[in-house]
Amino acid sequence: MALLIAIKLAVVIIYVLKLNASHSFQEYAPPIAMMAALPLFIVAALWLAGIKLSGSD
């Protein structure tokens, strides 16, 4: 899971650098920030679900 997040972050960083070179970064900052934050929210949700499932056993 950590490897998947690292790969996604690397892709986002490369995408940001390409956009920054060709377009105004301010137009694309919010969607890029959401793309970068989405895996963190998914991992947090899975972690919380795991705690609740293991706590009820």
Side-chain angles (χ1 to χ4, degrees):
M1 185 62 94
L3 181 62
L4 180 66
I5 293 171
I7 291 171
K8 285 189 177 192
L9 287 176
V11 169
V12 167
I13 289 169
I14 292 169
Y15 185 69
V16 167
L17 291 176
K18 285 184 179 181
L19 279 179
N20 201 15
S22 61
H23 299 290
S24 173
F25 179 70
Q26 292 176 350
E27 294 177 34
Y28 298 99
I32 291 171
M34 289 178 65
M35 283 187 345
L38 185 61
L40 298 176
F41 287 120
I42 292 171
V43 169
L46 291 173
W47 180 70
L48 287 174
I51 287 177
K52 289 184 179 182
L53 290 176
S54 64
S56 63
D57 289 339

